[in-house]
Amino acid sequence: MLIEQGKFPIHARALGSRLISYVLNEELEQIDELMRSGGEISDEQYRSLAQLDQIVQQAKSGRLSNQQLEISDRFQLQNMKFKDGGYVLSRLRQQSAGTQKYEGPEDPVKSAIHTMCEVWFPFILLPAKNDSFPSSMMDYPSFHDSSEADAFIKAVEQDATLMLLYPNYRGDPMESSNQIYTSLGQGFGVQLVLLHSRILSSAQASMELSGVTSLSNFQSHAYATIDRLRSALRGEEHKVPLIRIFDHVGLPPNFSETTEIGVLKSYPSALDKYVMARSRPARGSDDKVYGCVLEDEIDYRIFVEPEDFEGPFDGSWPIPISSQFQDRHSEILSLCTAFVFEDDRATAARSTASITSCPLNGATGGHSLRSPSLGRQVEADLQQANSITKFLKLCTELDMNKIDLSVRRFNSAIHRSDNIDSLIDAVIGLESLFGQKSDIAFSVATSVSLLLAECAEDRSSIFSDIKKIYSARSDLVHGNKKNIAKIDVNAARNSSVNYLRRVLMELIEHRTDLISLDQGSARAKSLVIGS
């Protein structure tokens, strides 16, 4: 059947090429070309497309404008069924594909969730909403009083492990579970009638965080979510993915490199729906993304409040209740990117958010407010990206605890928007590396010059620079108004931050013997004796 150029059904177009590609069981590139220039499709596909256009027109209540679906339109569309109870989008795909329905795995719970995935998945492909509403369960079928929901509930009721969530269950799926605590956050409850939506939301998050959006991948993540939940309820140690998001530094498209602290990857746009707008990486006019992600894993455990528990929580339960993630890996990545991009402002990746996929809560995590930064936005080429992973390897082979304070102060210095605060942080970082009880400025200046200089002339110049930095810092901290007016704060800040960056880089690359020492005075002494 031929669709002429400019004659693509106007209402179906509002669903976007990804969803139409799924419904027609056709490659995305073919659908893009079909929508743009017309082309041939099969009779079955044409019939599905014509029905889809009518269905969307009904959902949009007859509005003729070809605009994105509004919240009310989505709500109508997600609950539309044929007379026999089949959900419209999944049924139209079956019609286009001309294939038999696969019943799913033998596991009763997974088999039930398999069928729900087929109904839920098309709505993942809807174009992003262009309104102020947050992503919510309203975007997806409710399965209220459906045969799919009944099959799932009956399967769970026969699953002894999953029913540990409901120790007081008396046959009413509307009853909530006992209070549930996880190692990712505070307590909550979930009705059995809504448990499927928690599992599907978690599976969707895991799938989108993996970067591969397909029905088969969605179903695989749904099975894995059920396995994680069962494992945690049995008290077994289990891990869930943790993704840390960074701005300022972008990586080449599709870049992925496994390191000791996780998988370093370019930022996938699918993460946007899980990250607050103010915490997302910046985008350039050419649609470059100035951000990256670090994928890791964290322990996941569950504790279900015992029957007749009267509280209060006294810390004796076998898991820590905390939503705070360790940030050591974030500090190291920020440091390593700063080593690669050498400029006056000291540019580095900055952690803005962390996301994990909880089997019972979907995508959860923390976000930080992006404050103004003195660093610039950069995109690494392949050589620079490989250099970042090289430095990550070096850092993970060392005991970075010995220089932890200087690393944290360096990261604080490069991400501050105030020059004076940044200068103070950088000087503290240098002091923690080479300071001693008396004449700290002399000790730091001598140590830095001995470490970095290649000749006597360079040594003298570096020594002088460090003394000037210390003088500027002292005047600013102690309020010496007579001298403050003469200080070029911007230059002093840049100089101090870059000296700290060069020192840390030299220690990690060539002088690991100094990192192993416990005190700054010991490092200073070693440098003097060595010279």
Side-chain angles (χ1 to χ4, degrees):
M1 185 69 69
L2 175 66
I3 295 181
E4 297 179 4
Q5 184 176 6
K7 298 295 185 179
F8 193 91
I10 187 171
H11 295 293
R13 185 183 290 270
L15 297 177
S17 57
R18 284 206 314 164
L19 180 52
I20 294 173
S21 169
Y22 173 78
V23 170
L24 298 188
N25 193 36
E26 190 61 82
E27 295 294 328
L28 180 60
E29 293 78 8
Q30 295 295 108
I31 297 300
D32 287 334
E33 178 65 22
L34 187 68
M35 295 174 71
R36 183 171 54 250
S37 306
E40 291 276 353
I41 57 176
S42 70
D43 291 345
E44 291 80 7
Q45 289 174 323
Y46 186 84
R47 185 163 61 253
S48 293
L49 185 60
Q51 288 180 293
L52 187 63
D53 193 62
Q54 295 174 356
I55 289 166
V56 176
Q57 183 177 10
Q58 181 180 341
K60 293 172 67 174
S61 303
R63 294 198 317 275
L64 295 178
S65 57
N66 182 30
Q67 59 188 2
Q68 287 187 321
L69 294 175
E70 296 178 358
I71 289 291
S72 59
D73 305 334
R74 290 165 178 261
F75 183 76
Q76 290 282 343
L77 185 61
Q78 75 188 29
N79 289 294
M80 282 185 179
K81 301 179 183 179
F82 289 109
K83 290 182 178 180
D84 63 0
Y87 286 88
V88 294
L89 295 182
S90 55
R91 180 65 61 80
L92 289 177
R93 174 178 169 84
Q94 294 172 24
Q95 176 176 285
S96 297
T99 57
Q100 295 295 318
K101 183 178 176 63
Y102 174 54
E103 295 302 327
E106 293 183 3
D107 182 308
V109 178
K110 291 182 181 179
S111 179
I113 211 71
H114 173 97
T115 303
M116 289 177 151
C117 285
E118 294 178 338
V119 177
W120 185 288
F121 181 73
F123 295 91
I124 297 174
L125 304 177
L126 280 171
K129 297 192 297 293
N130 188 25
D131 54 37
S132 59
F133 291 93
S135 178
S136 68
M137 303 302 285
M138 184 179 252
D139 288 341
Y140 306 102
S142 66
F143 293 107
H144 181 63
D145 284 338
S146 67
S147 60
E148 291 88 353
D150 289 342
F152 178 81
I153 291 170
K154 289 177 181 177
V156 173
E157 287 176 335
Q158 300 302 313
D159 191 300
T161 301
L162 293 178
M163 287 306 292
L164 292 174
L165 293 170
Y166 306 93
N168 301 325
Y169 187 68
R170 293 175 175 81
D172 183 1
M174 297 297 292
E175 294 179 7
S176 183
S177 68
N178 285 32
Q179 195 77 347
I180 302 168
Y181 296 86
T182 80
S183 50
L184 301 180
Q186 296 299 324
F188 58 92
V190 56
Q191 294 171 300
L192 176 54
V193 73
L194 295 178
L195 180 60
H196 69 271
S197 64
R198 299 294 186 99
I199 292 173
L200 290 169
S201 294
S202 178
Q204 178 182 342
S206 297
M207 176 195 68
E208 292 180 325
L209 296 181
S210 76
V212 179
T213 300
S214 69
L215 175 58
S216 60
N217 196 32
F218 181 41
Q219 289 168 329
S220 295
H221 280 281
Y223 307 154
T225 299
I226 293 170
D227 288 337
R228 289 192 188 104
L229 189 52
R230 286 170 171 162
S231 177
L233 286 169
R234 287 193 294 262
E236 301 167 357
E237 289 191 7
H238 200 83
K239 293 186 179 295
V240 293
L242 169 66
I243 293 183
R244 295 179 176 88
I245 298 167
F246 299 81
D247 65 359
H248 280 308
V249 175
L251 297 174
N254 303 316
F255 180 86
S256 179
E257 187 70 31
T258 301
T259 73
E260 292 296 322
I261 63 172
V263 182
L264 181 64
K265 301 173 67 173
S266 48
Y267 180 87
S269 298
L271 289 184
D272 280 353
K273 69 186 297 181
Y274 299 109
V275 183
M276 297 173 64
R278 58 192 176 189
S279 297
R280 296 172 192 159
R283 281 179 166 81
S285 57
D286 52 0
D287 209 32
K288 289 182 178 178
V289 179
Y290 298 110
C292 58
V293 300
L294 187 64
E295 293 185 4
D296 199 359
E297 290 184 324
I298 55 174
D299 292 331
Y300 178 76
R301 288 182 288 172
I302 287 178
F303 182 77
V304 181
E305 186 177 271
E307 187 175 1
D308 301 325
F309 177 76
E310 297 181 357
F313 170 63
D314 60 3
S316 62
W317 288 348
I319 60 171
I321 305 301
S322 174
S323 59
Q324 301 299 315
F325 303 126
Q326 294 182 350
D327 59 2
R328 174 63 60 83
H329 293 173
S330 299
E331 296 280 357
I332 291 176
L333 178 59
S334 183
L335 175 69
C336 292
T337 52
F339 289 163
V340 174
F341 300 102
E342 301 182 22
D343 58 38
D344 289 342
R345 307 307 298 178
T347 294
R350 175 178 61 172
S351 177
T352 61
S354 59
I355 302 173
T356 190
S357 179
C358 172
L360 284 172
N361 266 342
T364 61
H367 306 264
S368 60
L369 299 179
R370 286 194 309 178
S371 58
S373 172
L374 295 173
R376 61 191 176 96
Q377 309 282 358
V378 297
E379 183 184 47
D381 57 29
L382 184 57
Q383 182 179 355
Q384 290 170 325
N386 288 332
S387 294
I388 293 171
T389 59
K390 181 198 77 172
F391 281 116
L392 285 174
K393 185 176 186 298
L394 290 175
C395 288
T396 54
E397 291 173 348
L398 299 172
D399 182 4
M400 297 294 286
N401 290 322
K402 303 278 187 173
I403 56 172
D404 178 64
L405 177 58
S406 61
V407 171
R408 286 190 287 109
R409 286 295 181 171
F410 173 74
N411 285 325
S412 176
I414 58 178
H415 295 312
R416 282 187 182 272
S417 60
D418 184 271
N419 277 321
I420 296 177
D421 289 339
S422 181
L423 168 62
I424 293 171
D425 274 330
V427 172
I428 293 174
L430 290 170
E431 287 179 345
S432 71
L433 290 172
F434 305 115
Q436 53 187 15
K437 292 183 179 180
S438 61
D439 205 353
I440 299 177
F442 180 82
S443 175
V444 172
T446 301
S447 300
V448 174
S449 63
L450 290 172
L451 181 67
L452 300 180
E454 296 182 357
C455 62
E457 184 177 351
D458 287 346
R459 189 175 302 158
S460 175
S461 174
I462 293 173
F463 183 90
S464 177
D465 287 345
I466 300 298
K467 292 288 285 185
K468 288 177 182 177
I469 289 170
Y470 254 91
S471 177
R473 179 254 197 183
S474 296
D475 288 336
L476 291 167
V477 169
H478 298 295
N480 191 335
K481 296 182 179 180
K482 181 179 178 180
N483 293 336
I484 287 176
K486 303 175 184 178
I487 298 173
D488 185 342
V489 178
N490 181 61
R493 178 267 179 196
N494 291 347
S495 180
S496 63
V497 170
N498 274 290
Y499 270 121
L500 179 55
R501 180 185 61 80
R502 288 175 60 191
V503 165
L504 288 169
M505 192 170 174
E506 180 68 16
L507 292 175
I508 290 169
E509 279 196 294
H510 305 298
R511 293 303 305 270
T512 58
D513 59 304
L514 295 176
I515 293 179
S516 64
L517 300 176
D518 290 324
Q519 296 182 339
S521 57
R523 297 189 189 100
K525 181 179 178 180
S526 178
L527 283 166
V528 171
I529 294 175
S531 66

